[in-house]
Amino acid sequence: VTKEDDEMTSAKRCINLISLTEALVFNEGTSDLLVKNSHFRNTILKAGLFVEKTLRKLEPKKSGGPGENGTVARQEPGFVFAAMATREVVMNVLMEYLRQDPMNVEFFIEIVDEVTAERLPSRLVLFQVIYNHLVCSENINHWRKLIIQSISHWRRQSSSQRLKAFLFHNVVNPILAMDIKRNWDSLSNGTKGTKLLDKSMINNFHEQLWRPSAVENTEELSPYIDHSRMELLQLTALLLQYHDQALSDTRKDIIRFGWHWVKLEDIINKHASYVVIAYFIHFYETPSNVTSTVYAHLLKAHQNEARPLVTQALELLAPQLPKRLGTDGFALPPWARLPKKVISEVSQRLV
């Protein structure tokens, strides 16, 4: 590609380069081409981005008919078909590299960033590589590096919410779930933590995620569903469910984190925070006033979209209510009187 080339010619050259690279990468004698040459690897990524950008420009405009872009596409049908095929090829080539060198976490996250920004197409091969070569990896250091890098991107303001949500939904949380699965017998017998979830890893979660999130200004947060926050709540609930003993030293900041996020206007994340608090109440001693406040809110919740989360939280609370709320000398214990009080208040409002 030269400076004198127009955009279409440059894109055609990129397509040819990617096609040639595919032939080399999937050839036994030259399959490690991208592993050995980082500059060429970055060039292929940039070529794929350029082809995708050019193809998107040729797509007909949604309003006002095909317009100029549609006209160019009709004049260059061969290019359009080649560019659409190259979408698949470039992802196959990049994923073949990650199969050979899955430890290059930085390059993996760079690809994910481009995919979540829709500058590269999202394809099934990406998720296959993530599961088979990252989530199912036998290398604890590889898992640790992936989690630490994901946490690092979580703290960066320059990282998009889509990237954060993708990394936690598809990488961090599945890795922690796989770790629990592989250590199920020891965890069931009361073992505290695992080789992955040791004191240093818990400290990373504590210092980089829970403690800062417990003091962030919720007024500045979006009122819409933030899927990255949802994934952090999912992570917290998962760890509380299976690693309650290992998290006992950080439980104060975990409850602060959950309690702070119930102030969100976003109904889904608000009630997901209540689920985290319900897990906390289930496993740790909790003041009765906190338990009764959470219980009362869940009983009053009425939004349809929050119903599954409310049900989950109540199922977690129910076995612990007699212990957490105690008795006060009345015929009915507090946990049994509160539902009657809520029903009475709702009935009065409906009259």
Side-chain angles (χ1 to χ4, degrees), residues 19-70:
S19 298
L20 176 61
T21 305
E22 179 192 27
L24 293 172
V25 166
F26 289 97
N27 179 61
E28 185 176 351
T30 54
S31 59
D32 58 353
L33 174 65
L34 298 183
V35 177
K36 292 181 177 179
N37 194 325
S38 61
H39 177 72
F40 186 62
R41 182 170 66 242
N42 291 325
T43 299
I44 293 300
L45 176 57
K46 291 177 182 177
L49 292 170
F50 187 78
V51 172
E52 182 70 16
K53 177 183 176 182
T54 306
L55 182 59
R56 287 177 183 271
K57 286 184 178 180
L58 296 179
E59 291 177 348
K61 295 180 179 178
K62 293 182 179 179
S63 59
E68 181 183 351
N69 290 344

Side-chain angles (χ1 to χ4, degrees), residues 13 26 34 42 94 116 150 154 159 263 273 310 314 331 346:
R13 292 179 185 272
F26 289 97
L34 298 183
N42 291 325
L94 293 173
T116 55
S150 298
W154 174 276
S159 296
K263 302 173 186 176
S273 300
V310 171
L314 287 172
V346 172

